Amino acid sequence: MTTFLRDTTTVFSREFAPVVREPAGLLFEMGQPLLFLFLFGSLLDGAVGASWQWFVPGILVMMCLTGPMGSGYTLLVELIGGSMERLMVTPLNRTAMLVGRTMKEMIILLAQAVLIILLSIPLGFELHVAGVLAGLAQLVVFGVGLGAFSFVLAIKSAPGGTLFYIVSQSIMFPLLLLSGVLLPLETAPGWLRVVGQVNPVTYIVDAQRALFSGDLTAPSVLYGAAAAVAVAAVGLHLGNRAMRKGV
């Protein structure tokens, strides 16, 4: 266990160092969520009941999808360039490589989520501390699974990389649109509501909105937690196996 923790810390430090050296990249990544928050959110203000309590969780889920889902890009670059091959001959634990990379993505996600929440308070968002903390914890679990899936896709896409872009983009946007992140599914056609019910992101979105409204006992919170844990468990299993066998 000591060796695993040491290797995980080593990988995390290696992955996080470029972020510390170039923090402007984080601000650039925040451009789209901030535009949605200030422009699209303002358009919805008054159109949806308790609009900011409804809209801010959707923005955070969107960030959770676009961030961790794209996290495999750095691994893909290393696989194509050959640096990952050199790293694999070291005695580092391969599971620690997966966990360390995933931890880096989660730290970034949490920092961005906290910034969005703080900026939304002057706009009318009501801060329910317990619900926000529970919601962020659920997002981290969900993001861990998404990040692991992204790493699997990067490994399977090497050395060309085309598969990574095609699959990640073709999956991400349907998951977003069919989860009610930006617009309520209640007003959608019946067939879209049916498709939304088999989308795991839908349950995450519903749970986040309940938690951020301070309702910790809503049934949707349990369904969202189950969906997040399921995605994380499957993602980590496939990611660990791919990291051990596929690199």
Side-chain angles (χ1 to χ4, degrees), residues 89-102:
V89 301
T90 68
L92 285 172
N93 183 286
R94 294 198 175 189
T95 302
M97 292 183 184
L98 174 66
V99 175
R101 286 176 176 270
T102 306

Side-chain angles (χ1 to χ4, degrees), residues 29-41:
E29 293 179 9
M30 291 292 295
Q32 186 182 56
L34 289 175
L35 284 176
F36 273 98
L37 179 68
F38 288 111
L39 299 182
F40 198 83

Side-chain angles (χ1 to χ4, degrees), residues 184-202:
L185 285 178
E186 289 78 4
T187 58
W191 66 272
L192 275 179
R193 293 197 298 271
V194 172
V195 175
Q197 291 301 311
V198 298
N199 180 6
V201 185
T202 302

